[in-house]
Amino acid sequence: MIVELDVPITVDDGTVLRADVFRPVADGQYPVLLSYGPYAKDLHFEDGYPDAWRMMCEQHPDVPAGSTNKYQAWEVADPEKWVSQDYVCIRVDSRGAGQSPGVIESFSPREVKDAYDCIEWAGVQPWSSGKVAMSGISYYAVMQWRVAALQPPHLAAIVVWEGMYDLYREAACHGGIRSTFVSGWYPNQVSTVQHGLGDRARKGRLKGRSVAGDETFTDERLAANKVDFDQELVRRPYDDDFFADRRADLSKVTVPLLSGANWGGHGLHLRGNVEAYLGAASENKWLELHGLEHWVHYYTDYGRELQLQFLDHFLKGKDNGWDERPPVLMNVRHPDETFVFREEHEWPLARTEWTELYLDASDLTLRSDPPTTDAHVTYQAMKEGVSFTTVLSEATEITGPASASLRISSETEDADLFLVLQVFDPLGKEVAFTGAVQTHTPVAHGWLRASHRSLDAERSLPWRPFHPHDKSEPLVPGQEYDVEVEIWPTSIVIPPGFTLALTVQGHDYEPPGHVPDTKAQWASMRGVGPFKHNDPHDRPEEIFGGTVTLHTGGENAPRVLLPVIPESKES
């Protein structure tokens, strides 16, 4: 293939961004796969994320097979595998990152407009067919919802692989509770490849030079060229205009799209792939759901061939049967972490049997009928919570979104509710899974700060309550309140004799006996991975460290709503 490094792309304000272009040797016009993001196009996947690369190659040998892997980079396509299929691959270093100068302002409208201009540049090059698709994982996926909403004329499709849509609800504040993820992500993954680090940054393999520009800036200049994204979030406890500006107008997303979600993507890249898929105005849209680590299936033969069939159809006009595929492509999860692929026609599934299980504080059970007597149970918020359980008498598939209706009281003016949906085998061992970026994750998570309990009635659904998060309504200590908690989508087939549990507590989930491994880059991420809620300024002990009481029984009895899937007549 022809490899062109540091190709200049001039955007509308005169800034010159730098891109690597990989294209077929034969003359012709080819469709383009383009990615735009801050992780430095010159940084090899293995150099930046050695544990992730090693584990992926060991566990999925089809990933490195058929490629020299010389051009592998974090969360973007391997050009060797795509150029050989007659595509052009373009990687653009976003403004202020890698080889592109400017000010880094993560997820800003400025970045979205830059990506728009890059698409339009790619669409008119002599080697381009005029059809451009955006592709990539995480940051490279998040951008796509908003760029697509601007409707660049040459954008023909998007492949959004594990990319959030709602920055507030899916990254900054889960249920109104601040997540400290960005506090670690920004300095470790973005600032380390800021343009101008020069000699202080890693060296790339292709040219043996800094992945972050040839010039070495002073600390003062580097600081001036970077908007402190973490502090921007800290200053905003509510869903305000800042977050609205960083959400796509989904009514304007009309291009064909493939949205790849991860069942284990709690805390960042699960909810958004589903919500944006549902909200997008595209006539041609597909939702794919899978498991395992965040980056794996973008690169495996399974994921790559799925993307190829989709892109061949919409960028090359191939009559390959893609348009006949049902719009929901899911890998249904089982306790031994095997997955059964199944195609469905809608989300949530039309045949879902919405099943209410009622909480009973008198014996800590989940029951099919409301309790006949009132009861309550109290827990210390910063210590162990309370689990409500039921033993299933028959195999039960739970696939889809869920929610919980609780009645609580607190001895303080607020309470953070952490809900964990869990499964245990007959010996009491938790059935856990490899998450997107953690090695031990439960079936599902949900969060809510009680003072953010107000609902948007028009946007709420029984299985997905919607909280506007625009104000705080403190609790009166000791007074009872009804609250609705969203539980992110999940999939699990539970064998008979296994126990289903709903745990309510006041802190992040941790697996039993968890001992953090501080040496490994990725294996140390267990439980909730980097998506913790432990900012002492957001959760002062005097407000969130008291006791919380769960009340059960009575009118509108507290319950969890689960998407139980009966066996398909076609199976």
Side-chain angles (χ1 to χ4, degrees):
M1 61 186 176
I2 296 171
V3 179
E4 299 172 294
L5 305 179
D6 293 336
V7 176
I9 301 177
T10 304
V11 296
D12 64 338
D13 69 348
T15 299
V16 179
L17 305 179
R18 295 290 172 174
D20 290 348
V21 178
F22 306 85
R23 54 191 178 90
V25 172
D27 289 338
Q29 294 181 316
Y30 302 93
V32 177
L33 295 188
L34 183 142
S35 59
Y36 174 101
Y39 295 144
K41 62 183 177 59
D42 291 354
L43 181 62
H44 194 280
F45 194 134
E46 186 177 14
D47 294 340
Y49 306 89
D51 288 339
W53 176 254
R54 173 184 52 79
M55 290 190 296
M56 181 167 61
C57 292
E58 288 175 355
Q59 297 169 16
H60 306 278
D62 53 321
V63 171
S67 172
T68 69
N69 300 295
K70 180 179 179 180
Y71 304 101
Q72 288 278 10
W74 178 244
E75 298 187 331
V76 295
D78 176 4
E80 290 187 65
K81 292 193 176 183
W82 285 93
V83 173
S84 63
Q85 298 295 322
D86 291 332
Y87 283 86
V88 174
C89 283
I90 300 178
R91 298 172 174 170
V92 184
D93 274 343
S94 58
R95 182 181 294 243
Q99 305 299 340
S100 292
V103 176
I104 295 179
E105 188 177 2
S106 296
F107 303 113
S108 65
R110 177 66 260 177
E111 282 197 330
V112 177
K113 183 57 172 65
D114 284 349
Y116 178 110
D117 290 348
C118 291
I119 290 167
E120 290 307 291
W121 175 87
V124 298
Q125 297 307 302
W127 34 255
S128 172
S129 69
K131 292 183 180 294
V132 181
M134 295 193 77
S135 177
I137 310 172
S138 193
Y139 201 108
Y140 299 100
V142 174
M143 296 293 295
Q144 297 180 44
W145 301 118
R146 294 168 61 207
V147 177
L150 295 183
Q151 300 183 347
H154 289 95
L155 183 64
I158 55 176
V159 177
V160 190
W161 207 264
E162 299 190 38
M164 70 175 177
Y165 153 68
D166 188 328
L167 176 63
Y168 183 88
R169 290 165 181 79
E170 294 155 25
C173 296
H174 299 125
I177 309 168
R178 169 169 156 74
S179 168
T180 55
F181 163 68
V182 170
S183 300
W185 165 76
Y186 196 71
N188 290 316
Q189 289 190 257
V190 179
S191 294
T192 53
V193 292
Q194 182 181 0
H195 180 78
L197 276 173
D199 293 339
R200 290 186 279 177
R202 293 176 181 268
K203 285 184 167 55
R205 295 186 180 188
L206 297 182
K207 284 192 172 182
R209 51 104 192 252
S210 170
V211 302
D214 295 330
E215 189 176 354
T216 303
F217 296 167
T218 63
D219 289 342
E220 292 75 17
R221 185 173 176 186
L222 287 170
N225 281 356
K226 179 172 57 179
V227 174
D228 192 330
F229 185 56
D230 185 45
Q231 287 305 305
E232 290 288 337
L233 300 187
V234 169
R235 287 194 291 268
R236 293 176 166 84
Y238 305 116
D239 185 9
D240 59 13
D241 289 344
F242 174 88
F243 293 104
D245 287 343
R246 285 155 179 78
R247 274 193 297 270
D249 181 348
L250 294 174
S251 70
K252 296 180 179 178
V253 177
T254 58
V255 295
L257 68 89
L258 174 60
S259 177
N262 189 322
W263 297 124
H266 304 294
L268 193 59
H269 293 322
L270 169 59
R271 180 187 187 275
N273 277 100
V274 175
E275 290 290 313
Y277 161 79
L278 291 172
S282 304
E283 292 184 8
N284 299 292
K285 58 181 181 178
W286 283 262
L287 173 65
E288 187 275 345
L289 300 113
H290 56 266
L292 303 181
E293 294 90 348
H294 176 43
W295 45 87
V296 166
H297 277 311
Y298 182 77
Y299 294 101
T300 60
D301 287 348
Y302 159 77
R304 184 177 51 80
E305 289 169 2
L306 202 69
Q307 298 166 56
L308 180 63
Q309 187 186 8
F310 167 77
L311 292 169
D312 275 354
H313 181 74
F314 288 107
L315 272 64
K316 294 182 179 179
K318 284 190 176 182
D319 184 9
N320 58 10
W322 179 269
D323 57 330
E324 298 175 3
R325 300 194 76 156
V328 178
L329 314 170
M330 63 171 60
N331 294 273
V332 179
R333 195 164 54 173
H334 291 252
D336 55 359
E337 205 153 46
T338 60
F339 296 87
V340 177
F341 183 77
R342 194 171 75 209
E343 297 181 332
E344 296 285 352
H345 294 275
E346 66 286 306
W347 181 274
L349 307 191
R351 67 181 188 280
T352 300
E353 295 179 351
W354 296 103
T355 301
E356 293 179 325
L357 294 179
Y358 295 88
L359 284 63
D360 190 344
S362 67
D363 58 3
L364 301 183
T365 59
L366 294 171
R367 42 190 298 154
S368 58
D369 299 314
T372 56
T373 58
D374 296 348
H376 65 271
V377 61
T378 299
Y379 64 89
Q380 292 283 340
M382 294 299 184
K383 297 182 180 180
E384 294 302 316
V386 179
S387 294
F388 299 85
T389 66
T390 184
V391 179
L392 300 178
S393 60
E394 58 185 27
T396 304
E397 179 184 337
I398 297 173
T399 294
S403 66
S405 302
L406 304 179
R407 185 172 301 127
I408 70 161
S409 60
S410 172
E411 69 172 339
T412 66
E413 65 184 37
D414 212 339
D416 283 346
L417 303 173
F418 294 74
L419 272 59
V420 188
L421 201 61
Q422 296 170 275
V423 171
F424 297 87
D425 70 16
L427 297 178
K429 180 181 179 182
E430 183 181 9
V431 176
F433 304 91
T434 299
V437 289
Q438 58 262 7
T439 57
H440 184 116
T441 188
V443 172
H445 288 275
W447 304 266
L448 181 66
R449 175 157 289 175
S451 60
H452 286 226
R453 64 191 176 278
S454 64
L455 291 171
D456 183 328
E458 291 186 1
R459 300 187 66 178
S460 290
L461 298 166
W463 53 83
R464 202 270 288 120
F466 191 91
H467 302 86
H469 296 296
D470 57 359
K471 61 185 176 181
S472 178
E473 299 176 278
L475 309 178
V476 175
Q479 182 171 316
E480 295 180 22
Y481 296 88
D482 289 326
V483 297
E484 303 289 327
V485 185
E486 175 185 2
I487 298 175
W488 284 22
T490 189
S491 176
I492 177 66
V493 178
I494 308 172
F498 279 53
T499 296
L500 175 68
L502 176 70
T503 298
V504 183
Q505 57 192 33
H507 58 85
D508 282 319
Y509 164 86
E510 288 186 1
H514 170 47
V515 178
D517 180 354
T518 58
K519 295 181 180 179
Q521 182 183 21
W522 292 104
S524 61
M525 294 183 176
R526 300 183 62 187
V528 293
F531 311 112
K532 298 180 177 65
H533 306 83
N534 55 1
D535 182 348
H537 301 289
D538 182 64
R539 305 187 67 223
E541 180 82 18
E542 61 271 19
I543 296 178
F544 296 98
T547 62
V548 175
T549 301
L550 302 175
H551 304 266
T552 62
E555 186 178 355
N556 194 29
R559 61 203 176 277
V560 59
L561 179 66
L562 298 174
V564 175
I565 309 300
E567 186 176 355
S568 172
K569 294 180 181 180
E570 300 174 357
S571 61

